[in-house]
Amino acid sequence: MKPSSSATHPRRARGRPAGDDDALRERIVDCALRGFVRDGIAGTTLAAVARDSGVAPALVNYYFGNKDGLIDALVATRLQPAMQRVVGLLQAPAPVDPLPRLRAFAFEYVRSIAAEPWIARLIVREVLSEGGALRARFAEQFAAGVIGSLQQAMADAQRAGRLRGDLPAAQLVLNLLALLVYPFLAAPVLGPALGLGIGSEPDAWAERQWQQFLGGAEARK
């Protein structure tokens, strides 16, 4: 007896979309990210994300449930990998001289933001702004890990006599992050006004900012 087609090709579960699930999810998240950066998270509807993705609204609901689920997916697949790279550099076994580890962090941080300009724009809109939809997530999932690891690395460098001991490690953290992050946050306005191609040459930019940090923070012999 010839087997039925359903036996050789089992039917997909009812309601489950056909095609490459991973590719569809990625496309939806990418379109959501563009909408969040352009219009803000509050101003981006799931219907608009579906339209921009070229899929039915029901498919967005199928994959992510609601907007919070879509935001969680964006954080997990877009923000977390970038943050994990920089945190990993800080959490590596402490070398005899801690400064190269801090310098590597500075360079990777700048490279990540330069390669993904949307990170700075999303931070301005959804983290720094009052009522930003990502503020709590960012503080809980990223800021605490990055800041804690960076502060420990600063303290290690102070104990090794490489950074000034008369400043709190927390102050050194703030100084370095201000040099690395603020130019990208202000780039849309200050970049053209000052004639600076902020982030156009990430390693050169990171080196200049790192040298400025050392100018005020390095221990004097």
Side-chain angles (χ1 to χ4, degrees):
M1 179 176 178
K2 184 178 179 180
S4 66
S5 60
S6 60
T8 55
H9 300 287
R11 289 184 178 182
R12 58 186 173 89
R14 187 176 182 180
R16 183 176 177 82
D20 188 335
D21 287 1
D22 290 340
L24 283 172
R25 286 177 61 90
E26 288 293 304
R27 186 164 83 237
I28 293 169
V29 172
D30 283 338
C31 289
L33 175 57
R34 287 194 292 270
F36 292 165
V37 171
R38 182 183 64 242
D39 303 319
I41 290 177
T44 303
T45 65
L46 292 185
V49 173
R51 184 181 63 249
D52 292 346
S53 305
V55 301
L59 189 58
V60 179
N61 289 322
Y62 172 81
Y63 279 128
F64 305 102
N66 52 32
K67 187 183 283 189
D68 278 343
L70 185 53
I71 294 170
D72 287 340
L74 184 147
V75 168
T77 62
R78 300 298 186 272
L79 282 174
Q80 280 185 344
M83 293 299 104
Q84 286 171 348
R85 287 196 301 271
V86 296
V87 171
L89 290 170
L90 292 172
Q91 293 178 342
V96 175
D97 183 357
L99 280 190
R101 182 174 57 173
L102 284 167
R103 183 178 181 275
F105 161 83
F107 272 66
E108 186 59 35
Y109 207 97
V110 168
R111 288 169 185 156
S112 295
I113 299 179
E116 306 286 355
W118 59 266
I119 293 177
R121 294 198 291 271
L122 203 62
I123 287 175
V124 170
R125 184 185 282 273
E126 301 295 346
V127 177
L128 299 181
S129 297
E130 189 65 33
L134 291 180
R135 178 174 286 191
R137 284 179 174 88
F138 195 86
E140 177 184 347
Q141 298 184 33
F142 305 118
V146 173
I147 298 303
S149 298
L150 187 53
Q151 190 167 351
Q152 181 60 54
M154 292 291 186
D156 291 342
Q158 287 178 309
R159 283 191 291 271
R162 299 294 277 122
L163 294 179
R164 290 172 53 177
D166 61 326
L167 294 175
Q171 179 69 55
L172 295 175
V173 170
L174 185 61
N175 292 350
L176 181 58
L177 289 180
L179 285 166
L180 297 179
V181 179
Y182 177 75
F184 288 94
L185 302 183
V189 175
L190 294 187
L194 297 174
L196 293 173
I198 297 171
S200 59
E201 297 181 356
D203 285 0
W205 182 264
E207 182 62 31
R208 286 194 293 270
Q209 300 304 91
W210 173 249
Q211 291 302 324
Q212 286 191 52
F213 171 73
L214 288 183
E218 194 169 16
R220 305 303 179 196
K221 295 182 180 179

